[in-house]
Amino acid sequence: MRVNKWGVGVILAASVLLTGCAGGASDKPTESKPSGAASQEAEAPTSDCPELKDGATVDGAALGTCIADAMEGVAGYAAKTSVMGMESTAKFNPSEKAIESISPAGSLIAIGDEAWVKSGSGDWQVADTSSSDPIIAGLSTTAANVATLDPAAAAAALSGEFTVTGTGERLGQEVFLVSGSVEQSGTAVDVVFEVTKDYVSLASSSTASVEGQSVEVTMEITEWDVKQEIVAPL
C-alpha cells in the first residue's frame, strides 16, 4: 500500500480515535485482565442512557454521551490496532495530553505541546509538519492535533442510529456489539463498538472506502484505566 502524507495522518488518528470510542468485531477476546480499578471505578451514567440488549436500536448521540461520561477521568490506557494488516500499539494519558503510537510504518510521541516522530527506518526527531518527507509530515500533523484525539470527545461526537447486534467478552467483562455508521471528514465509516454495561468501550472495528480503497481499522484495549509510561525520546 502506498502510504502518503494524508494516509499516515488519517490512519494514526483513526487508530487512536477509535481506541477511545471503541467497539470491535474481533471474535477472540484478549487474554489480558483489567486492573480492579479498571472494572470498578468507571461509573456508568444512570439516566438518559440507552438500554443495551441484543436487538435494541439506540441513538448514537445518547450512546456517545454515555460513553464519554463513563470514560471521563480515566487514568490512561494501552491498545493494539491493525490498519489494513499493519499492527501498531498505542498508549494514552488523557490528563497529560500524552500519546505514544508505535508502528512499523511510523511512530509518534506527543506530550503536551511537544512532539517527536520517526519513520519506520529512521530516528526520532522533533515533529515537523512542513517536512519534505511525507511520512514525517503526516506523523507530525497527527501529533500536532493530539489534543483533538481525546476519546471522550470522540465518543461525544457520535450521531445516527446504532443497533446492538450481539454480545461477547472483552477483558473479562461482557460487552455488547453495537453497530452503525458515522461520517468522518465526509467519509462514511461502518463501525462496530464493544461496549460494557457501564458504557466503557473496549474494542472496535471500522471500515471505510478512502480514495477508492477499502480501509479497515481494528482495535482492542489491552490495559484500561492505568496510567501509561510515555517518555520523551529526545
Side-chain angles (χ1 to χ4, degrees), residues 44-51 62-63 65-66 69 199:
T46 57
S47 63
D48 300 324
C49 287
E51 182 180 6
L63 176 65
T65 297
C66 295
D69 288 346
Y199 299 93

Side-chain angles (χ1 to χ4, degrees), residues 71-95:
M71 296 177 69
E72 185 176 358
V74 63
Y77 63 82
K80 61 181 180 180
T81 65
S82 175
V83 182
M84 299 179 68
M86 183 178 68
E87 302 288 340
S88 67
T89 59
K91 298 177 181 180
F92 191 38
N93 290 327
S95 65

Side-chain angles (χ1 to χ4, degrees), residues 182-203:
V182 297
E183 185 172 306
Q184 190 172 42
S185 301
T187 299
V189 183
D190 293 326
V191 295
V192 182
F193 298 131
E194 286 186 13
V195 186
T196 71
K197 65 179 181 180
D198 296 330
Y199 299 93
V200 174
S201 287
L202 292 179

